[in-house]
Amino acid sequence: MIRKEENIRFAKKHNIPFVDADYDTDNWFDRAKGMEQEPERGVRCTMCFDMRFERTALYAAENGFSVISSSLGISRWKNMQQINDCGIRAVAPYPNMVYWEYNWRKKGGSARMIEISKREQFYQQEYCGCIYSLRDTNKHRKSQGRDLIKIGVQYYLP
């Protein structure tokens, strides 16, 4: 919810229309059944990306957009090929739509992301967002003697 609120705030600040395309949580848990123990970057992540991209492609098709993309690839914790494969699959049913594969990590993209995040005081979530990622991240943090992440607590880049 924190990341969504920050997206809304940023969009308003820059006069950009915000489309609220929240996914259906019950549908997500139904799809994730049996994948609860899958590792980060595994099949559960593919399922999640597919679900989000399918919704994005449908919205794009219904509203006259011919290109979709994602900023998920900026994260060093994500597999860019996995993300791109999901995007490409999502646009396949729409002959006049393309998925824009762009490597946001190159050409200073990561540094730019950090610069913007600091300037805008964006919340820095240290897990992908699903409950299983939070569980696994906290398990790792505990093994390293670090504080556990608490849902709803805002962390910012220094």
Side-chain angles (χ1 to χ4, degrees):
M1 189 59 125
I2 295 170
R3 291 187 296 182
K4 178 178 161 181
E5 289 168 2
E6 289 197 343
N7 274 289
I8 292 169
R9 175 179 56 84
F10 187 79
K12 282 182 182 176
K13 177 180 178 179
H14 295 282
N15 233 2
I16 301 167
F18 180 83
V19 177
D20 190 347
D22 272 348
Y23 62 87
D24 177 345
T25 305
D26 292 337
N27 183 16
W28 188 91
F29 277 106
D30 286 346
R31 289 185 184 207
K33 251 188 205 6
M35 294 185 252
E36 297 87 350
Q37 301 305 318
E38 288 293 323
E40 196 73 18
R41 297 182 175 191
V43 295
R44 185 183 63 238
C45 294
T46 299
M47 173 279 298
C48 185
F49 298 153
D50 280 341
M51 183 176 170
R52 291 167 179 260
F53 276 123
E54 288 163 9
R55 180 67 187 100
T56 300
L58 175 62
Y59 180 88
E62 291 174 344
N63 290 277
F65 294 97
S66 60
V67 179
I68 68 168
S69 190
S70 175
S71 61
L72 283 168
I74 194 76
S75 171
R76 67 179 190 260
W77 305 110
K78 299 295 181 211
N79 177 328
M80 191 169 306
Q81 190 60 55
Q82 180 184 35
I83 293 164
N84 288 339
D85 289 347
C86 293
I88 291 166
R89 257 194 312 281
V91 299
Y94 308 99
N96 297 320
M97 189 180 300
V98 296
Y99 173 75
W100 182 38
E101 295 179 54
Y102 185 80
N103 187 341
W104 297 97
R105 297 175 195 167
K106 303 260 180 180
K107 299 180 183 174
S110 292
R112 180 82 172 121
M113 181 270 302
I114 291 169
E115 172 193 327
I116 292 168
S117 292
K118 284 181 180 181
R119 183 185 71 226
E120 298 295 329
Q121 296 184 308
F122 283 142
Y123 161 66
Q124 297 297 301
Q125 185 164 295
E126 296 186 49
Y127 67 102
C128 81
C130 85
I131 193 163
Y132 306 120
S133 174
L134 176 60
R135 174 201 63 205
D136 296 345
T137 299
N138 275 338
K139 183 178 176 183
H140 175 73
R141 289 174 71 95
K142 187 175 183 179
S143 77
Q144 301 296 308
R146 295 176 63 200
D147 290 340
L148 301 183
I149 296 169
K150 294 175 180 65
I151 294 176
V153 176
Q154 295 186 2
Y155 302 91
Y156 297 95
L157 284 173

